[in-house]
Amino acid sequence: MQIGIKGEQRFAVTQAQLASNVGSGLVEVFATPMMIAAIENTAAASVAPQLDEGKTTVGTLVNVSHVAATPAGMEVRIETELTEIAPSGKVLTFRVAAYDEAGLIGEGTHQRAIVDKARFESKAQAKKNA
């Protein structure tokens, strides 16, 4: 894995992704939580081919501003770029941005940690029995 890996995703905003339908507000525009989910998905997918078998990434930090509203039906483009790998090799930092057909709608940074998928899920499930 090396700095500079880029990811991109494009999709049209659906009714299901509107703030009024996901519980993040009453307005009929692309919801901030849906933008963040798309950013996380794009970043994760961009580095997935570089991971060892059994490994995955999990989101640990999102610092993103949502600066413009996007109505249903408009295309959104998410761009991510790996800008830093922690000395441990386990924490990845991405520069992220989201655009609609009119321009920038969101930007910031996102961090993901590399984990062993089975071990991570096992530890999470063990919380139910604690």
Side-chain angles (χ1 to χ4, degrees):
M1 177 130 12
Q2 62 187 64
I3 289 172
I5 294 172
K6 294 183 179 183
E8 183 177 311
Q9 177 184 177
R10 293 174 185 261
F11 55 89
V13 174
T14 66
Q15 290 291 320
Q17 295 172 309
L18 301 182
S20 57
N21 293 324
V22 300
S24 68
L26 301 177
V27 291
E28 301 278 319
V29 298
F30 188 42
T32 302
M34 301 309 292
M35 181 182 75
I36 290 170
I39 285 168
E40 288 203 63
N41 179 271
T42 305
S46 73
V47 296
Q50 305 296 318
L51 299 174
D52 292 336
E53 188 171 335
K55 301 288 187 180
T56 190
T57 61
V58 295
T60 58
L61 178 68
V62 178
N63 184 6
V64 174
S65 61
H66 194 169
V67 299
T70 304
M74 251 186 144
E75 183 178 84
V76 167
R77 181 178 83 251
I78 306 294
E79 295 180 354
T80 64
E81 181 178 0
L82 180 60
T83 58
E84 183 180 338
I85 302 170
S88 68
K90 294 182 180 181
V91 179
L92 311 174
T93 302
F94 298 83
R95 182 175 62 239
V96 300
Y99 303 87
D100 66 18
E101 297 164 49
L104 183 72
I105 62 168
E107 63 183 337
T109 59
H110 172 45
Q111 286 185 340
R112 301 191 68 76
I114 298 172
V115 299
D116 179 275
K117 185 178 184 298
R119 183 170 177 259
F120 184 86
E121 289 175 339
S122 176
K123 283 177 68 174
Q125 290 300 318
K127 291 172 76 172
K128 291 194 293 190
N129 302 324

